Structure formats: C-alpha cells, structure tokens
Amino acid sequence: MITFEEAGFSYADTPILKNVSLNVEPGSFHFLTGPSGAGKTTFLRLCYLALRPTSGRVVHYGRDAATASRDDITRIRRKLGVMHQNCTFLDHLSVAENVILPLDVTERRQSQSERNRDELLDWVGLSTRSSAKPPELSGGERQRVALARAVMSSPDVLIADEPTGNLDRDMADRLLMLLIELNRLGKAVIVATHDIALIRAAKGQVAARVLRLKGGSLSQAGAEL
Amino acid sequence: MLWRRISGDPAAERIVPASGVSAWLIALSALAMAALAVAALSASLAASRLAERWSADLARGATVMLTAEGTRLEDETNRALAALQTTPGILSARVLPRDEQNALLAPWLGEGVSLDLLNVPRMIVVEETGDGPDLEALSLRLRAEAPSAQYDDHARWRRPIVLVAERLMWIAGGALALIAAATAIMVTLAARAALAANTQVIQTLRLMGATDGFIARAYIRRFTLRSLIGGLIGVVLAATAFAFLPDPGAGNAFTTGLAPQGREWLWVMLVPLFVAGVTYLSTRIAAARMMSALDDI
C-alpha cells in the first residue's frame, strides 16, 4: 500500500528524515514514536502525500510520490483516512456534517451514508453532539470527531498524528480500542505518538510494530516499551 | 452544461464558509454593470437603427439640379426628364413644382417671396430602384441632353451619416467590452479574496480527496448565482428607465427613441446571462490559478 524505500526529506538543506525504509501492508499496525521534532509529522505527511520525498522513494499503490500527478494524489488520498494533530474542521458545519464531509467532497454519499455516520458518532460516543459546531467541542471531543471523520469513507489506511494529545487516560484508552477495532477490520493503522502509556496499553491486544524516529532515522523500538 | 455547472451542485457550495460581504458586493457590481450594459446596448441599437433609417431614406432618393437660364432651362428640364424616365434603375422622376420649392426655401428666404424674381435652379426629384442607375452612364447622357444638369445621389450626405452611426456602434461595443473587463476584474478580486481567506479549508478538503474542480465549483456557483441575481435586477431597473423615456415621435426621420424596440429587447434580456457568464469564467480562472499556486501538493 505505502512503501518507503530509503526515503528522506530535507527542508532548506536541513535533513528531517534520512533513509527511511518501511512497508505498510493491509491489516498492519504501526506505532511511530520519538521525541518532539524527530520527524514524526513529516513522516506522516509523506504518508498522506502532503510532501514529496527529497531523496529515495515513497510509493503509494504503485505510484511514485515524486511523479504523482494531482489526480493521482486525489485518488490515493481517497484511500487514506487522516487524523491531524490540530484537528481542522469546517467550523460553519455541524459535527454530523463534518463527519460525512469526506463522502460529500468526493461525491460518494449514498442512501445509507447518513445511517453509517450516525453509527460512527455513536461508536465514538458523540451521538448527542451531532448538531454541535466544532468550536463548541472540547479537545477530546474534537479528536473523536476527527477519528469518525477519518474512517467515514472506509479508508484502507488510517493515519493518526498524536491522536491522544488532548485526552485523559480513560478517553485515550477508549480511542485506542477504537483504533484496534478498526485494525481488526483489516485497516492498516499508523499512529504517531509520544504517549508511551498508549503503546504499552496496546501490547497484547494488537500485533503492532513500534518504530522509533530519532535524528531523522527510523529504527525498531527496543524492549523498554 | 453551463447551467448544470452553475446550479447543479448545491453540496459543493455548502462546504465553503460564507464569504461575508464579498459575494453580495459581486451582486451589487453585477447590478451596476448590467444597468450600464443595457445603456450601452441601447445606444448601440439606437445608433444602428438611426443609421439604417437615414441611409435608407437618403438612398432611395436623388436630385437633378438644372441651372440653365431663360428658355434653355425649360428645354433642358424636358430633355433631362425624358432621359431620366427612360434610364434603367430610375423608378420615377418629376419636376419639383414651384409651390413645393417655395415651401422648401421658405425657412431661409421667408414666406411670400416669388422664386420668379430669383435665379433659383430647377429641381427634378428622382426615386431610384433598389439597385439604382449606372451613374457614370447617366451623367454622360445628362451632360449630352442637358449640360447644366447635375445629378446628386445624396452619397455625400449619406456617407458621413453612416460613418457617424458606425462609430457610435463601435463606441457602444467598446463600452460593453470595458463593462465586461471591469466585471471580470471585480469578480477576480473578490474570488481571490474569498479563496485566500479559506486556504486552510481548501487544504483540509484536498486531504479528504476533494478535487480542485469540486472546490472551485463551490465558489463558481456562489458568485455566478449572485451575479445573475444582480444582473437581473440591474436589467429590470435600466429597462424600466429606458421604457419611460419620452418618444421623439414615429414620423421624425432624424431621431429615434433610445429605448430598444421589438426584437431588440431580446438582446437586453441576454445581459444578465452575459454578466453571469463573465462571472463564471472569471471565478473559474481565478480559482484554478489560486489553487495551483497553493504550496501543498
């Protein structure tokens, strides 16, 4: 699905990522950890084609990111669900409208889409907040809405950047369970986090690979996790 | 196809945050531009109508002026009349009677002046057929039959009148082009402002897999519909004003009403579509340029 082949990214001659090789396969679960500024967000941006690598290759569904056209990028993004760190919403739309947006903007809304959306809102525990506007939501609620929106279009890969950053422990564990549930449905999940407790909580429940980014280089995390 | 693109995608418009006053400024601009376009169009149509009328009136007639003196005048008049009546392309020819000639000259000479006291040339009024006579052959024949006769086909009157009318039409056409350009500039500025204010929304939509065409349609639809509404109101206001202009009179050969007449109103009705079309194209181009310039991929 997504393959990194010695991929790197530099910004103004400053290397952010170096020689990253990784294969994201269907049904895989990856945790990406590392200190702030290690390049986690850059790695994820390469995953959802917000950046092109400056060295090596990143291949999405057989298309090299370096030469992918705008149409290719649009097609690939329709197979990805992304939870951004800052959870950007369309503030003039309600929670329910924001959640169904990935189907609306790709003109894929069907008769059962609204029922699916309501089930998703129930799944993330926000069925009573469906008519609220995003500015009225708490940080935790925003992250759960972002998760519902990311999976609304039934993507092959779910990419989450610090999904538990604004959540308390209970809510973080609950969100983790939602991610694991998705993974059991065959979706690939990539979670960038520096929440070690979250990674430990996942142990024994899902066969996750834990990767560490340090100084722009990717390595398998050690036994300390 | 155009209407489908403008009106057929209300879902697209919903995703774009309200553009504040800019969308309604587009409507107001469209109103003003449509009213000006109706004025320019009416002026152009009136100029065209006037040119046609003047040209047609003058083209049908010609005049032969005879300046011989004494008994020669009568002889030359008869010979010229005979020559004219047997020339192909001449429908009729008659000597202008003294009383009609008096009436024509009365504004300059005053009432009651006998033309017998003055050496006034004799006039023959000629009505030509559609194609008219062979002027060169006719001139040669008249020179032989009546040396003092001068054939005047009114071309020297007609030419400047037609030229003026043509220039008026060009000026009105230029005004329409300027109105279209001003509309395009205003719409482009408003569209760029609206898009620039929503860069983050556009990037979010792109990350969800929205095509640039889908995002652009939201702005195109909003601006084009506002422009169409403004254009319609502008045309109604301008058309009402023109419809109530005083009528110079049907029998007046030298003037024509400024208000469009008959089928000309169809052109006026196209003005809102014209303004909306300019808005559609301007928004589309502005949106495409703005989105291709966004630095994300």
Side-chain angles (χ1 to χ4, degrees), chain B residues 191-204:
Chain B
R192 288 174 70 91
L195 286 158
N198 290 308
T199 303
Q200 201 177 19
V201 169
I202 291 167
Q203 285 169 342
T204 303

Side-chain angles (χ1 to χ4, degrees), chain A residues 29 31 169 173 176-177 179-180 184 191 195-210 225:
Chain A
F29 200 120
F31 278 112
R169 191 73 267 145
D173 288 343
L176 175 67
M177 294 316 294
L179 295 175
I180 291 171
R184 284 177 184 152
V191 181
D195 183 355
I196 302 300
L198 184 77
I199 300 171
R200 287 179 179 152
K203 271 191 166 181
Q205 297 190 68
V206 65
R209 283 183 74 189
V210 184
L225 294 174

